[in-house]
Amino acid sequence: MGPHPAVAAIRLAVRRVLHDVLTEFAEQTERTGRVPRAPHPELAEAGAGRRRPALPERTDTPLVLVACSGGADSMALASALAFEARKLAVRAGGITVDHGLQNGSDTRATEVVGRLTAMDLDPVEAVAVRVGHDGGPEAAARDARYAALDAAAERHGAAAVLLGHTRDDQAETVLLGLARGSGIRSLSGMAAASGPAGRYRRPFLQLDRQTARTACMAQSLPVWDDPHNIDPAYTRSRLRHEGLPALEKALGKGVVEALARTAQLSRDDADALDTWAAEAGRDVRDDAGRLECAKLHALPPAVRRRVLRRAAIEAGSPAGSLFARHIEEVDRLITGWRGQQAINLPGRVEALRQGGRLVIRQS
């Protein structure tokens, strides 16, 4: 008798990602002519919640880490990784991040380390972080978490880090992007692979949240339900428990699936436009590398604004602080020129029109 259908589904999703990681690892080895080195023993133990014997200097198999909070999604992901890694030439480990935002968070992190270790994952560690205030509590916690995961991946020489985001998470991300009015890139949601060299992989984007929870129940895996996930003080929590149910009540079932499809279609379109804009950005410059307003004006608006955004970022404007309204103001220097003054952008960057050229520079 085979595994429960939910268990089979999560294992298949992880297996596909691991095959991708193995293929990329082999291609990198062939391209560079050498097997990627494991981290230095001192780095492998730095900051570890649980010390492990030093890894060998060279390894013929990639290491894949799972980011696990102890919730149903990430516990299902960890169990699937542990199962599939035993059948493939993959080493599997786990990282849990203690945000320190709730009483007893360190104890829960220790419990997660124990559960991952019981799955024979190695290395396993808990990493405590300090959450700042920039961008609000949700954004600050996310930034601290990814910084910790990046550091852990570098420390252990991991080829990939698996994240447990599901189709439901994707739908919520699309709606949040829609509410911000941030354009098609926001509507594209989370990518299946993102981060430095595609480090972060999301195997569950085609699976719903209930499948992951059912897989945990079928395997008798203990899970922890984060109270922040039901706290109405958090925007995503309100959307999950009030917004999406209201949409499904008004529009019928299938809203989550439709939003997830929208994310993929939007991502395909955004990627194509970004490629076009990268090529156009070279063509609209004069011999001195300055942007020519006439050539910019001839571009489709979606391409032109991408060129302008890229130029602003290259001049020093922080991408996270550069909003659509900023780019629209700069765009008016091209399409609605009436002798306007310089436009001030985040990062002390200014955009101004001079003699038929658009100058974007540090002020």
mmCIF file of all heavy atoms in Angstrom, residues 147-189:
data_model
loop_
_atom_site.group_PDB
_atom_site.id
_atom_site.type_symbol
_atom_site.label_atom_id
_atom_site.label_comp_id
_atom_site.label_asym_id
_atom_site.label_seq_id
_atom_site.Cartn_x
_atom_site.Cartn_y
_atom_site.Cartn_z
ATOM 1 N N ALA A 147 17.955 37.186 6.132
ATOM 2 C CA ALA A 147 19.368 37.445 6.415
ATOM 3 C C ALA A 147 19.987 36.258 7.147
ATOM 4 O O ALA A 147 21.122 35.836 6.845
ATOM 5 C CB ALA A 147 19.513 38.722 7.250
ATOM 6 N N ALA A 148 19.227 35.683 8.088
ATOM 7 C CA ALA A 148 19.728 34.516 8.826
ATOM 8 C C ALA A 148 19.852 33.296 7.923
ATOM 9 O O ALA A 148 20.823 32.530 8.011
ATOM 10 C CB ALA A 148 18.795 34.208 10.000
ATOM 11 N N LEU A 149 18.886 33.104 7.036
ATOM 12 C CA LEU A 149 18.935 31.960 6.121
ATOM 13 C C LEU A 149 20.075 32.113 5.116
ATOM 14 O O LEU A 149 20.756 31.128 4.787
ATOM 15 C CB LEU A 149 17.597 31.814 5.390
ATOM 16 C CG LEU A 149 16.404 31.416 6.264
ATOM 17 C CD1 LEU A 149 15.121 31.418 5.439
ATOM 18 C CD2 LEU A 149 16.622 30.047 6.902
ATOM 19 N N ASP A 150 20.288 33.340 4.637
ATOM 20 C CA ASP A 150 21.415 33.580 3.731
ATOM 21 C C ASP A 150 22.736 33.232 4.414
ATOM 22 O O ASP A 150 23.603 32.573 3.826
ATOM 23 C CB ASP A 150 21.447 35.049 3.286
ATOM 24 C CG ASP A 150 20.508 35.340 2.122
ATOM 25 O OD1 ASP A 150 20.217 34.407 1.348
ATOM 26 O OD2 ASP A 150 20.072 36.492 1.989
ATOM 27 N N ALA A 151 22.881 33.695 5.652
ATOM 28 C CA ALA A 151 24.121 33.432 6.391
ATOM 29 C C ALA A 151 24.314 31.935 6.619
ATOM 30 O O ALA A 151 25.422 31.416 6.497
ATOM 31 C CB ALA A 151 24.111 34.186 7.722
ATOM 32 N N ALA A 152 23.224 31.235 6.960
ATOM 33 C CA ALA A 152 23.316 29.796 7.193
ATOM 34 C C ALA A 152 23.687 29.050 5.913
ATOM 35 O O ALA A 152 24.499 28.114 5.931
ATOM 36 C CB ALA A 152 21.997 29.267 7.748
ATOM 37 N N ALA A 153 23.096 29.466 4.792
ATOM 38 C CA ALA A 153 23.410 28.821 3.514
ATOM 39 C C ALA A 153 24.884 29.001 3.168
ATOM 40 O O ALA A 153 25.554 28.061 2.706
ATOM 41 C CB ALA A 153 22.521 29.386 2.408
ATOM 42 N N GLU A 154 25.406 30.206 3.403
ATOM 43 C CA GLU A 154 26.823 30.457 3.134
ATOM 44 C C GLU A 154 27.701 29.667 4.091
ATOM 45 O O GLU A 154 28.729 29.101 3.701
ATOM 46 C CB GLU A 154 27.116 31.959 3.269
ATOM 47 C CG GLU A 154 26.442 32.829 2.225
ATOM 48 C CD GLU A 154 26.997 32.590 0.835
ATOM 49 O OE1 GLU A 154 28.144 32.118 0.715
ATOM 50 O OE2 GLU A 154 26.283 32.877 -0.149
ATOM 51 N N ARG A 155 27.291 29.633 5.340
ATOM 52 C CA ARG A 155 28.092 28.963 6.366
ATOM 53 C C ARG A 155 28.239 27.473 6.079
ATOM 54 O O ARG A 155 29.299 26.880 6.272
ATOM 55 C CB ARG A 155 27.430 29.203 7.724
ATOM 56 C CG ARG A 155 28.230 28.727 8.920
ATOM 57 C CD ARG A 155 27.723 29.381 10.196
ATOM 58 N NE ARG A 155 26.327 29.118 10.487
ATOM 59 C CZ ARG A 155 25.371 30.041 10.467
ATOM 60 N NH1 ARG A 155 25.648 31.280 10.105
ATOM 61 N NH2 ARG A 155 24.128 29.738 10.777
ATOM 62 N N HIS A 156 27.160 26.856 5.610
ATOM 63 C CA HIS A 156 27.171 25.412 5.373
ATOM 64 C C HIS A 156 27.449 25.038 3.920
ATOM 65 O O HIS A 156 27.525 23.861 3.590
ATOM 66 C CB HIS A 156 25.831 24.807 5.803
ATOM 67 C CG HIS A 156 25.581 24.875 7.279
ATOM 68 N ND1 HIS A 156 26.265 24.102 8.184
ATOM 69 C CD2 HIS A 156 24.731 25.644 8.008
ATOM 70 C CE1 HIS A 156 25.845 24.376 9.416
ATOM 71 N NE2 HIS A 156 24.913 25.315 9.328
ATOM 72 N N GLY A 157 27.579 26.041 3.061
ATOM 73 C CA GLY A 157 27.821 25.744 1.657
ATOM 74 C C GLY A 157 26.638 25.070 0.991
ATOM 75 O O GLY A 157 26.807 24.172 0.156
ATOM 76 N N ALA A 158 25.412 25.495 1.348
ATOM 77 C CA ALA A 158 24.205 24.855 0.815
ATOM 78 C C ALA A 158 23.965 25.244 -0.630
ATOM 79 O O ALA A 158 24.143 26.392 -1.026
ATOM 80 C CB ALA A 158 22.993 25.238 1.664
ATOM 81 N N ALA A 159 23.530 24.264 -1.411
ATOM 82 C CA ALA A 159 23.177 24.517 -2.810
ATOM 83 C C ALA A 159 21.795 25.145 -2.921
ATOM 84 O O ALA A 159 21.505 25.856 -3.885
ATOM 85 C CB ALA A 159 23.220 23.223 -3.605
ATOM 86 N N ALA A 160 20.914 24.867 -1.954
ATOM 87 C CA ALA A 160 19.549 25.388 -2.004
ATOM 88 C C ALA A 160 18.955 25.399 -0.604
ATOM 89 O O ALA A 160 19.377 24.641 0.278
ATOM 90 C CB ALA A 160 18.676 24.547 -2.933
ATOM 91 N N VAL A 161 17.968 26.278 -0.419
ATOM 92 C CA VAL A 161 17.183 26.335 0.823
ATOM 93 C C VAL A 161 15.720 26.206 0.427
ATOM 94 O O VAL A 161 15.219 27.007 -0.371
ATOM 95 C CB VAL A 161 17.411 27.652 1.586
ATOM 96 C CG1 VAL A 161 16.551 27.694 2.848
ATOM 97 C CG2 VAL A 161 18.889 27.837 1.927
ATOM 98 N N LEU A 162 15.033 25.206 0.974
ATOM 99 C CA LEU A 162 13.630 24.988 0.642
ATOM 100 C C LEU A 162 12.728 25.780 1.587
ATOM 101 O O LEU A 162 12.939 25.790 2.798
ATOM 102 C CB LEU A 162 13.285 23.502 0.737
ATOM 103 C CG LEU A 162 14.123 22.526 -0.084
ATOM 104 C CD1 LEU A 162 13.497 21.129 -0.041
ATOM 105 C CD2 LEU A 162 14.265 22.995 -1.526
ATOM 106 N N LEU A 163 11.714 26.424 1.012
ATOM 107 C CA LEU A 163 10.737 27.195 1.781
ATOM 108 C C LEU A 163 9.355 26.594 1.580
ATOM 109 O O LEU A 163 9.025 26.121 0.494
ATOM 110 C CB LEU A 163 10.735 28.659 1.329
ATOM 111 C CG LEU A 163 12.084 29.384 1.377
ATOM 112 C CD1 LEU A 163 11.947 30.798 0.822
ATOM 113 C CD2 LEU A 163 12.627 29.432 2.801
ATOM 114 N N GLY A 164 8.517 26.644 2.620
ATOM 115 C CA GLY A 164 7.236 25.946 2.596
ATOM 116 C C GLY A 164 6.054 26.768 2.125
ATOM 117 O O GLY A 164 4.906 26.448 2.471
ATOM 118 N N HIS A 165 6.265 27.821 1.340
ATOM 119 C CA HIS A 165 5.142 28.624 0.859
ATOM 120 C C HIS A 165 4.234 27.798 -0.046
ATOM 121 O O HIS A 165 4.699 27.106 -0.949
ATOM 122 C CB HIS A 165 5.656 29.841 0.084
ATOM 123 C CG HIS A 165 6.463 30.772 0.922
ATOM 124 N ND1 HIS A 165 7.758 31.143 0.634
ATOM 125 C CD2 HIS A 165 6.149 31.414 2.080
ATOM 126 C CE1 HIS A 165 8.205 31.968 1.556
ATOM 127 N NE2 HIS A 165 7.245 32.151 2.447
ATOM 128 N N THR A 166 2.935 27.904 0.182
ATOM 129 C CA THR A 166 1.947 27.136 -0.563
ATOM 130 C C THR A 166 1.190 28.022 -1.553
ATOM 131 O O THR A 166 1.403 29.231 -1.623
ATOM 132 C CB THR A 166 0.931 26.508 0.395
ATOM 133 O OG1 THR A 166 0.190 27.564 1.041
ATOM 134 C CG2 THR A 166 1.612 25.640 1.451
ATOM 135 N N ARG A 167 0.276 27.394 -2.283
ATOM 136 C CA ARG A 167 -0.566 28.126 -3.225
ATOM 137 C C ARG A 167 -1.403 29.181 -2.503
ATOM 138 O O ARG A 167 -1.664 30.261 -3.043
ATOM 139 C CB ARG A 167 -1.472 27.139 -3.969
ATOM 140 C CG ARG A 167 -2.288 27.750 -5.087
ATOM 141 C CD ARG A 167 -2.950 26.657 -5.901
ATOM 142 N NE ARG A 167 -3.895 25.876 -5.098
ATOM 143 C CZ ARG A 167 -4.406 24.703 -5.454
ATOM 144 N NH1 ARG A 167 -4.043 24.160 -6.605
ATOM 145 N NH2 ARG A 167 -5.263 24.075 -4.691
ATOM 146 N N ASP A 168 -1.817 28.881 -1.288
ATOM 147 C CA ASP A 168 -2.587 29.858 -0.507
ATOM 148 C C ASP A 168 -1.738 31.089 -0.190
ATOM 149 O O ASP A 168 -2.226 32.225 -0.249
ATOM 150 C CB ASP A 168 -3.083 29.221 0.793
ATOM 151 C CG ASP A 168 -3.984 28.030 0.550
ATOM 152 O OD1 ASP A 168 -3.455 26.937 0.286
ATOM 153 O OD2 ASP A 168 -5.201 28.192 0.586
ATOM 154 N N ASP A 169 -0.469 30.858 0.185
ATOM 155 C CA ASP A 169 0.436 31.979 0.441
ATOM 156 C C ASP A 169 0.615 32.814 -0.821
ATOM 157 O O ASP A 169 0.691 34.045 -0.759
ATOM 158 C CB ASP A 169 1.800 31.462 0.903
ATOM 159 C CG ASP A 169 1.726 30.729 2.226
ATOM 160 O OD1 ASP A 169 1.166 31.289 3.177
ATOM 161 O OD2 ASP A 169 2.215 29.590 2.297
ATOM 162 N N GLN A 170 0.689 32.133 -1.960
ATOM 163 C CA GLN A 170 0.847 32.839 -3.225
ATOM 164 C C GLN A 170 -0.361 33.740 -3.505
ATOM 165 O O GLN A 170 -0.206 34.894 -3.916
ATOM 166 C CB GLN A 170 1.027 31.830 -4.366
ATOM 167 C CG GLN A 170 1.311 32.440 -5.723
ATOM 168 C CD GLN A 170 2.724 32.970 -5.842
ATOM 169 O OE1 GLN A 170 3.102 33.894 -5.118
ATOM 170 N NE2 GLN A 170 3.489 32.402 -6.766
ATOM 171 N N ALA A 171 -1.559 33.215 -3.262
ATOM 172 C CA ALA A 171 -2.777 33.997 -3.484
ATOM 173 C C ALA A 171 -2.795 35.234 -2.587
ATOM 174 O O ALA A 171 -3.153 36.338 -3.029
ATOM 175 C CB ALA A 171 -4.005 33.127 -3.218
ATOM 176 N N GLU A 172 -2.390 35.063 -1.334
ATOM 177 C CA GLU A 172 -2.347 36.199 -0.418
ATOM 178 C C GLU A 172 -1.341 37.244 -0.888
ATOM 179 O O GLU A 172 -1.600 38.454 -0.814
ATOM 180 C CB GLU A 172 -1.974 35.706 0.987
ATOM 181 C CG GLU A 172 -3.031 34.820 1.621
ATOM 182 C CD GLU A 172 -2.505 33.996 2.780
ATOM 183 O OE1 GLU A 172 -1.337 34.210 3.181
ATOM 184 O OE2 GLU A 172 -3.250 33.125 3.270
ATOM 185 N N THR A 173 -0.203 36.792 -1.386
ATOM 186 C CA THR A 173 0.832 37.710 -1.858
ATOM 187 C C THR A 173 0.348 38.512 -3.055
ATOM 188 O O THR A 173 0.616 39.719 -3.169
ATOM 189 C CB THR A 173 2.107 36.927 -2.223
ATOM 190 O OG1 THR A 173 2.562 36.199 -1.071
ATOM 191 C CG2 THR A 173 3.217 37.854 -2.691
ATOM 192 N N VAL A 174 -0.388 37.864 -3.958
ATOM 193 C CA VAL A 174 -0.932 38.565 -5.131
ATOM 194 C C VAL A 174 -1.918 39.649 -4.684
ATOM 195 O O VAL A 174 -1.884 40.781 -5.183
ATOM 196 C CB VAL A 174 -1.614 37.578 -6.089
ATOM 197 C CG1 VAL A 174 -2.359 38.314 -7.199
ATOM 198 C CG2 VAL A 174 -0.572 36.641 -6.711
ATOM 199 N N LEU A 175 -2.792 39.319 -3.749
ATOM 200 C CA LEU A 175 -3.770 40.307 -3.284
ATOM 201 C C LEU A 175 -3.097 41.472 -2.574
ATOM 202 O O LEU A 175 -3.511 42.629 -2.723
ATOM 203 C CB LEU A 175 -4.775 39.633 -2.346
ATOM 204 C CG LEU A 175 -5.832 38.759 -3.027
ATOM 205 C CD1 LEU A 175 -6.705 38.071 -1.982
ATOM 206 C CD2 LEU A 175 -6.700 39.588 -3.973
ATOM 207 N N LEU A 176 -2.057 41.192 -1.796
ATOM 208 C CA LEU A 176 -1.326 42.268 -1.128
ATOM 209 C C LEU A 176 -0.660 43.182 -2.162
ATOM 210 O O LEU A 176 -0.649 44.402 -2.004
ATOM 211 C CB LEU A 176 -0.277 41.675 -0.177
ATOM 212 C CG LEU A 176 -0.828 41.003 1.084
ATOM 213 C CD1 LEU A 176 0.278 40.258 1.815
ATOM 214 C CD2 LEU A 176 -1.481 42.025 2.007
ATOM 215 N N GLY A 177 -0.112 42.589 -3.220
ATOM 216 C CA GLY A 177 0.484 43.383 -4.286
ATOM 217 C C GLY A 177 -0.547 44.230 -4.999
ATOM 218 O O GLY A 177 -0.297 45.391 -5.340
ATOM 219 N N LEU A 178 -1.722 43.642 -5.220
ATOM 220 C CA LEU A 178 -2.807 44.376 -5.866
ATOM 221 C C LEU A 178 -3.228 45.570 -5.017
ATOM 222 O O LEU A 178 -3.474 46.673 -5.529
ATOM 223 C CB LEU A 178 -3.994 43.441 -6.097
ATOM 224 C CG LEU A 178 -5.222 44.028 -6.794
ATOM 225 C CD1 LEU A 178 -4.855 44.463 -8.208
ATOM 226 C CD2 LEU A 178 -6.346 43.001 -6.834
ATOM 227 N N ALA A 179 -3.304 45.371 -3.699
ATOM 228 C CA ALA A 179 -3.714 46.450 -2.796
ATOM 229 C C ALA A 179 -2.696 47.591 -2.795
ATOM 230 O O ALA A 179 -3.062 48.754 -2.638
ATOM 231 C CB ALA A 179 -3.892 45.902 -1.380
ATOM 232 N N ARG A 180 -1.411 47.248 -2.989
ATOM 233 C CA ARG A 180 -0.375 48.287 -3.004
ATOM 234 C C ARG A 180 -0.337 49.040 -4.328
ATOM 235 O O ARG A 180 0.265 50.111 -4.410
ATOM 236 C CB ARG A 180 1.004 47.661 -2.734
ATOM 237 C CG ARG A 180 1.219 47.221 -1.295
ATOM 238 C CD ARG A 180 2.686 46.915 -1.059
ATOM 239 N NE ARG A 180 3.142 45.791 -1.870
ATOM 240 C CZ ARG A 180 3.160 44.528 -1.454
ATOM 241 N NH1 ARG A 180 2.729 44.244 -0.235
ATOM 242 N NH2 ARG A 180 3.596 43.564 -2.229
ATOM 243 N N GLY A 181 -0.941 48.469 -5.365
ATOM 244 C CA GLY A 181 -0.900 49.108 -6.673
ATOM 245 C C GLY A 181 0.500 49.215 -7.221
ATOM 246 O O GLY A 181 0.868 50.207 -7.842
ATOM 247 N N SER A 182 1.304 48.165 -7.005
ATOM 248 C CA SER A 182 2.726 48.230 -7.346
ATOM 249 C C SER A 182 3.055 47.715 -8.735
ATOM 250 O O SER A 182 4.217 47.603 -9.093
ATOM 251 C CB SER A 182 3.532 47.425 -6.309
ATOM 252 O OG SER A 182 3.288 47.908 -5.017
ATOM 253 N N GLY A 183 2.047 47.335 -9.519
ATOM 254 C CA GLY A 183 2.320 46.911 -10.885
ATOM 255 C C GLY A 183 2.417 45.413 -11.047
ATOM 256 O O GLY A 183 2.240 44.639 -10.104
ATOM 257 N N ILE A 184 2.734 45.013 -12.272
ATOM 258 C CA ILE A 184 2.673 43.607 -12.646
ATOM 259 C C ILE A 184 3.687 42.751 -11.901
ATOM 260 O O ILE A 184 3.452 41.571 -11.637
ATOM 261 C CB ILE A 184 2.843 43.470 -14.174
ATOM 262 C CG1 ILE A 184 2.430 42.069 -14.625
ATOM 263 C CG2 ILE A 184 4.268 43.785 -14.602
ATOM 264 C CD1 ILE A 184 2.376 41.933 -16.133
ATOM 265 N N ARG A 185 4.844 43.316 -11.554
ATOM 266 C CA ARG A 185 5.836 42.526 -10.821
ATOM 267 C C ARG A 185 5.305 42.131 -9.451
ATOM 268 O O ARG A 185 5.547 41.034 -8.980
ATOM 269 C CB ARG A 185 7.138 43.318 -10.710
ATOM 270 C CG ARG A 185 8.253 42.603 -9.968
ATOM 271 C CD ARG A 185 8.554 41.239 -10.555
ATOM 272 N NE ARG A 185 9.264 41.289 -11.826
ATOM 273 C CZ ARG A 185 9.578 40.214 -12.529
ATOM 274 N NH1 ARG A 185 9.204 39.016 -12.107
ATOM 275 N NH2 ARG A 185 10.202 40.319 -13.672
ATOM 276 N N SER A 186 4.569 43.020 -8.802
ATOM 277 C CA SER A 186 3.970 42.684 -7.509
ATOM 278 C C SER A 186 2.926 41.592 -7.663
ATOM 279 O O SER A 186 2.795 40.712 -6.814
ATOM 280 C CB SER A 186 3.313 43.920 -6.892
ATOM 281 O OG SER A 186 3.950 44.328 -5.723
ATOM 282 N N LEU A 187 2.168 41.647 -8.764
ATOM 283 C CA LEU A 187 1.132 40.644 -8.994
ATOM 284 C C LEU A 187 1.716 39.270 -9.323
ATOM 285 O O LEU A 187 1.016 38.274 -9.285
ATOM 286 C CB LEU A 187 0.215 41.085 -10.136
ATOM 287 C CG LEU A 187 -0.620 42.341 -9.894
ATOM 288 C CD1 LEU A 187 -1.511 42.616 -11.092
ATOM 289 C CD2 LEU A 187 -1.459 42.201 -8.634
ATOM 290 N N SER A 188 3.000 39.232 -9.659
ATOM 291 C CA SER A 188 3.617 37.947 -10.008
ATOM 292 C C SER A 188 3.936 37.110 -8.779
ATOM 293 O O SER A 188 4.352 35.961 -8.899
ATOM 294 C CB SER A 188 4.887 38.178 -10.831
ATOM 295 O OG SER A 188 5.879 38.836 -10.075
ATOM 296 N N GLY A 189 3.752 37.672 -7.591
ATOM 297 C CA GLY A 189 3.890 36.895 -6.365
ATOM 298 C C GLY A 189 5.293 36.380 -6.138
ATOM 299 O O GLY A 189 6.287 37.013 -6.487
#
